[in-house]
Amino acid sequence: MTSGTMVEHHLNAEGADHFILAGVGDANFRELASLFGVQVVLRGEYVKIAGELEAVADSARVVEHMIELARLGKGFPASDVARFATSLESRDGPDIRSGDERLQIALPGSRRIIAPRSEGQRRYLQAMEDSDIVIGIGPAGTGKTYLAVARAVDELFRKRVRRIILARPAVEAGENLGFLPGDLQEKVDPYLRPLYDALEDMMPAARVRRGISERTIEIAPLAYMRGRTLSDAFVILDEAQNATAAQMKMFLTRIGVGSRVVITGDKTQIDLPNSQVSGLIQVEDILKDIDGIEFVYLDERDVTRHRLVKHIVLAYAAADQRRSGGRDDER
């Protein structure tokens, strides 16, 4: 393609204040059109940008920033549009030719963009766009929980769901809840702390606390899901390898109308007693052929933590393979 190629690009403006976004008498859009030589129109929940390829790509970065401000209710004069364009010049804009822009997540209240950093993460985020139930399986550090929480925050912010529900089995490395100090909530909070950490990395702490108090955000042990119907929610079951087969069935049958579900787990870190079957392993076989449920497998190539995590994952996998091979030889 050349710079003379004419294109049309659509940006999702769900949840944005249209008056703030377009400005009085569409002044913001007129300023944008003057700066970049493009046509900018708001149609429903989408902003349409039309013009030459390079101009559309450059102006799209500015429009994304304007949409974010409008979602936060932060007004700005038309004169600021030129300043936005200047400040965003050094950043990489969305690649409108790749089709992956919708997989980028703009966190509310910040300028951070969360995007896939590997092919596995791209498939994972794509699955969350396409399927009502996504089961992400892979080792530590591959972004299973982090990306799921980011997508949940994005869905809540865009008003596609009314609440976020994060659940985890309260099973960890042989520890027994009964021997931990404090009341029941104090006993289970340490098991749920990774979910709080992920959420607080996406949103200001005050907003998280407000969401919890208003019950638009719920973080609870898996056992608390029994008997409920989870409707109009983005629901994440984390560390699902530690859910029993019965708990997994219970959880999956809680799903109500308008809900999206992500289940994450690592089959190499099962802490259940040997007599109990992991619900994560069982659903691989039982649910593999159901339309609308998608399995995504991540591996060491998708690890995005400290560089040593990838080597640690590989070393443990090799050790497990050696042990398994030794048992086979003994037979």
Side-chain angles (χ1 to χ4, degrees):
M1 290 185 178
T2 66
S3 60
T5 301
M6 303 300 290
V7 299
E8 188 174 288
H9 185 44
H10 295 255
L11 290 170
N12 192 326
E14 284 183 281
D17 184 310
H18 291 185
F19 182 76
I20 291 177
L21 179 60
V24 178
D26 289 341
N28 297 340
F29 287 169
R30 285 190 281 105
E31 179 69 14
L32 195 73
S34 174
L35 287 169
F36 292 96
V38 295
Q39 293 180 332
V40 190
V41 181
L42 183 63
R43 288 285 182 268
E45 296 296 335
Y46 288 86
V47 177
K48 183 182 79 172
I49 310 173
E52 293 188 357
L53 176 62
E54 297 303 324
V56 171
D58 290 341
S59 60
R61 291 181 295 182
V62 181
V63 174
E64 283 191 330
H65 184 62
M66 292 164 60
I67 290 172
E68 183 180 350
L69 292 175
R71 284 177 178 149
L72 294 171
K74 296 182 177 179
F76 54 90
S79 58
D80 274 358
V81 175
R83 181 173 61 82
F84 298 156
T86 301
S87 65
L88 292 169
E89 273 181 1
S90 61
R91 300 184 192 176
D92 291 331
D95 185 355
I96 64 176
R97 291 158 290 188
S98 70
D100 276 353
E101 180 200 333
R102 67 187 181 134
L103 300 183
Q104 298 179 355
I105 301 169
L107 294 178
S110 76
R111 292 186 176 183
R112 289 177 55 202
I113 301 290
I114 293 179
R117 297 172 63 182
S118 68
E119 176 56 24
Q121 290 190 353
R122 190 199 68 77
R123 286 187 284 106
Y124 186 43
L125 283 169
Q126 185 69 59
M128 284 188 254
E129 283 282 327
D130 298 338
S131 302
D132 288 338
I133 299 178
V134 176
I135 301 174
I137 299 175
T142 51
K144 302 184 302 297
T145 304
Y146 192 82
L147 292 175
V149 172
R151 176 56 68 197
V153 170
D154 189 51
E155 295 280 300
L156 181 66
F157 197 61
R158 293 174 187 268
K159 300 180 181 178
R160 293 175 177 171
V161 296
R162 291 191 297 108
R163 53 186 173 154
I164 296 172
I165 298 174
L166 310 176
R168 253 190 173 202
V171 176
E172 295 287 344
E175 295 179 12
N176 189 317
L177 285 176
F179 291 100
L180 294 176
D183 60 22
L184 183 58
Q185 191 61 46
E186 290 170 329
K187 290 175 188 289
V188 299
D189 270 352
Y191 297 94
L192 305 175
R193 174 43 54 187
L195 295 175
Y196 283 101
D197 291 343
L199 198 57
E200 289 172 358
D201 196 49
M202 311 285 173
M203 304 168 65
R207 185 173 294 183
V208 174
R209 289 193 297 271
R210 185 167 68 249
I212 291 173
S213 67
E214 294 172 352
R215 300 190 66 78
T216 56
I217 298 173
E218 182 179 352
I219 304 175
L222 175 58
Y224 285 20
M225 300 298 108
R226 187 174 299 279
R228 301 177 59 187
T229 300
L230 310 177
S231 302
D232 295 317
F234 197 105
V235 189
I236 299 172
L237 173 57
D238 192 39
E239 296 289 331
Q241 75 275 4
N242 289 327
T244 65
Q247 286 177 325
M248 182 65 78
K249 180 181 178 182
M250 176 273 292
F251 173 76
L252 288 168
T253 54
R254 300 304 93 205
I255 301 166
V257 176
S259 286
R260 309 291 293 275
V261 175
V262 177
I263 297 170
T264 72
D266 179 355
K267 293 189 294 183
T268 69
Q269 297 193 33
I270 297 174
D271 297 315
L272 292 169
N274 292 333
S275 60
Q276 292 185 308
V277 176
S278 168
L280 181 65
I281 291 177
Q282 190 183 64
V283 295
E284 275 191 286
D285 180 56
I286 294 176
L287 305 181
K288 62 184 178 183
D289 296 322
I290 297 181
D291 189 35
I293 300 178
E294 188 166 350
F295 287 82
V296 179
Y297 293 89
L298 303 163
D299 58 32
E300 68 279 354
R301 292 169 295 183
D302 304 303
V303 171
T304 55
R305 288 184 187 168
H306 191 287
R307 62 178 181 82
L308 289 177
V309 173
K310 181 181 297 186
H311 298 295
I312 291 168
V313 168
L314 286 170
Y316 271 94
D320 289 342
Q321 190 171 15
R322 287 195 299 271
R323 283 196 296 271
S324 176
R327 287 193 293 270
D328 292 340
D329 292 340
E330 290 170 5
R331 296 193 188 98

